[in-house]
Amino acid sequence: MGEKRARAAIRATILAVDDEPRVLELVVEMLSSLGPFRVLQARTAPEAFEVLSSEQIDILLSDLFLGSYSGLDILHEAKAANPDIVIIFMTAQPSVEGAVAVLKEGAYDYLVKPFRRDDLKAAVERGMEKQKLQRENIHLKEQLALYQISEAMVGSVRVDDVLGLILDFVLKEFKADTASILLLDPATRELKLTQFRGKTRDIQGSYFVLGNDPACRSVVESAKPKVVNKSSPLVDGSPRPRIRSMVSYPLLAKGQVIGVLNVVRTETVNYFSQGELFSLGIVASKAATAIDSARLYEELESAYFDTINVLANSIEARDRYTRRHTDRVRYLTEMLAVQLGFSGEKLKEVRMGGILHDVGKISVPDHVLNKPGPLTKEEFAIMKKHPETGKKMLEGIEFLKPALPYVLYHHEQYDGSGYPYGLKGEEIPFEGRLLAVADTFDAIISDRPYRKGVPFEKALDELVKFSGRQFDPSVVNAFVSVWENHVLDLEFLATGKYLDLPVEAASSRK
Ligand SMILES: [Fe+2]
Ligand SMILES: [Fe+2]
């Protein structure tokens, strides 16, 4: 109890270093009399380095020369251990050059031996005041940065985006060289490297970043962070940057470990300070929550896609002449979109539009939908309603809004001869112009009861022939490029079986 109270009252931890035992004894005595300080001591530089790497030292009071170590060596080591340490050097001979050099590099002050108790007191007090201001400033900056990352994460709904934001933030704000996030596979309980930033090769301990380290496993098991600091950077002849400090934080969502955040600094920077470790803990906690929400969102979205697929399939089940039409149009539209530079969210909207474009056919009676011959004028009038019916069906569902332009405008034609509105050229939303090309291509290649499907190459010739009349030339050009690049999965178009697809399209099979 008494010890606890004493510790609570301690104003600072001071390390005094001098190789002359009598001087050291005197300095320690003076410091002890100045106030409730915790005073540690060391006689050599290596001894001091050991203390610096294992204890949180606020003030270092050191002789300017310790054996073969200069003031600068000592300063660099102390700053590495704790960036906001206050360093006061003591020197027997007033060597101005030496003092100026260490002040330039970040020492706070120097005292010329022998000095009086009051001189020491004044230097320590001023140093502590400066440190207090510095720490408050750092704290404010950290708060601001944490606020910014929280805001950014709230705005992201994709797990990948959230992970990227966290890692970019960690590298920048915590001056780390490498950071990675490993997520736990709920089924196998294995950690999987999900994203990383920075150097991963050519640093010793890359196994740590990649998660192949018992330390990461222990973080998962204990749900507690682990900090590994490497002591004095003694030269080991290795040309690779050496790990200075490694931190592995558990990502906890709803009390469960869902992964780990690993952060690494190499020898060029300092250890992580207590304040930084605290902030990293906050980042890890916010990150875990954001990952959890993003996962929920993705699950929900995938459930939505399953539902709209069921909806689209139920229409196809009635329409025996256009089996798999939806699937092929969805695929072709996505391939065109990729060629035109769509990615991410935009590409998902394309998929949604492809799947749902004919959803309004639900209102077309069987005898019209399945008629084994060309439609009469009246029947065609019924058929022509399907874009607007589809739009009405979907417009109340927020999540499906991006699909609406595909549904409503896919039968408009570039020259204004299409339906339902007879829009012309750029009046037709691009989604409609895009889907129209894929939709028509599929209609040309498909068998009908009254005619055989046309071979792919001839169908492409048709598209080119009507480019600028029925179709937007930019979309037809994209189709020609896709064709010439040999990226279309012709086997899939012919049989419905997938072969090797380009990554974007392959990732969108669902
Ligand atoms: Fe249609
Ligand atoms: Fe269609």
Side-chain angles (χ1 to χ4, degrees), residues 155-206:
S156 310
V157 289
R158 303 272 152 224
V159 173
D160 281 350
D161 294 350
V162 170
L163 300 185
L165 273 173
I166 297 163
L167 294 179
D168 287 340
F169 177 80
V170 164
L171 285 199
K172 184 168 161 261
E173 294 298 326
F174 295 93
K175 297 185 183 62
D177 298 292
T178 306
S180 64
I181 288 177
L182 297 106
L183 294 180
L184 204 59
D185 185 316
T188 62
R189 306 282 301 160
E190 292 285 315
L191 275 174
K192 280 190 186 155
L193 177 68
T194 314
Q195 229 179 86
F196 61 79
R197 290 283 197 278
K199 302 175 204 162
T200 49
R201 288 178 193 179
D202 305 329
I203 56 167
Q204 286 182 357
S206 56

Side-chain angles (χ1 to χ4, degrees), residues 184-306:
L184 204 59
D185 185 316
T188 62
R189 306 282 301 160
E190 292 285 315
L191 275 174
K192 280 190 186 155
L193 177 68
T194 314
Q195 229 179 86
F196 61 79
R197 290 283 197 278
K199 302 175 204 162
T200 49
R201 288 178 193 179
D202 305 329
I203 56 167
Q204 286 182 357
S206 56
Y207 53 89
F208 179 83
V209 187
L210 302 176
N212 310 321
D213 187 294
C216 300
R217 199 67 235 171
S218 78
V219 169
V220 172
E221 303 304 337
S222 67
K224 296 219 162 57
K226 196 166 179 72
V227 182
V228 183
N229 281 336
K230 301 284 182 187
S231 56
S232 315
L234 298 171
V235 176
D236 64 0
S238 166
R240 299 185 294 178
R242 276 159 296 139
I243 296 282
R244 182 72 169 156
S245 206
M246 307 188 283
V247 188
S248 187
Y249 260 90
L251 298 171
L252 284 157
K254 300 185 191 103
Q256 299 290 317
V257 178
I258 59 165
V260 294
L261 166 67
N262 288 344
V263 188
V264 172
R265 277 180 179 172
T266 61
E267 60 191 321
T268 49
V269 280
N270 311 311
Y271 294 143
F272 291 99
S273 70
Q274 290 303 314
E276 284 175 321
L277 290 175
F278 181 73
S279 299
L280 261 179
I282 296 175
V283 170
S285 133
K286 287 190 184 300
T289 311
I291 293 167
D292 197 42
S293 321
R295 274 182 167 175
L296 279 177
Y297 179 89
E298 287 189 355
E299 274 169 28
L300 197 65
E301 189 188 64
S302 148
Y304 264 122
F305 268 105
D306 289 347

Side-chain angles (χ1 to χ4, degrees), residues 21 27 33 46 48 66 89 96 134 155 159 174 205 268 294 338 397 414-415 435:
V27 169
S33 72
L66 289 167
F89 281 109
V96 175
Q134 215 170 30
V159 173
F174 295 93
T268 49
V338 170
I397 307 166
Y414 204 64
D415 59 5
L435 208 134

Side-chain angles (χ1 to χ4, degrees), residues 327-389:
D327 212 13
R328 288 189 302 260
V329 171
R330 193 265 308 143
Y331 168 65
L332 288 168
T333 317
E334 278 185 276
M335 293 300 279
L336 293 179
V338 170
Q339 176 66 34
L340 288 161
F342 286 42
S343 62
E345 258 333 86
K346 269 312 237 183
L347 208 51
K348 283 206 174 149
E349 296 176 7
V350 171
R351 188 197 308 171
M352 217 188 268
I355 296 171
L356 291 170
H357 77 278
D358 274 338
V359 78
K361 281 190 180 171
I362 205 156
S363 66
V364 178
D366 278 351
H367 71 272
V368 177
L369 199 62
N370 288 320
K371 188 174 175 187
L375 301 178
T376 65
K377 214 177 157 201
E378 290 74 26
E379 288 164 343
F380 193 47
I382 295 172
M383 192 60 130
K384 275 160 81 171
K385 286 185 183 158
H386 81 271
E388 282 175 300
T389 308

Side-chain angles (χ1 to χ4, degrees), residues 71-87:
L72 284 180
D73 296 332
I74 298 158
L75 181 135
H76 288 148
E77 193 60 26
K79 287 271 177 194
N82 176 14
D84 69 1
I85 194 166
V86 167
I87 305 169

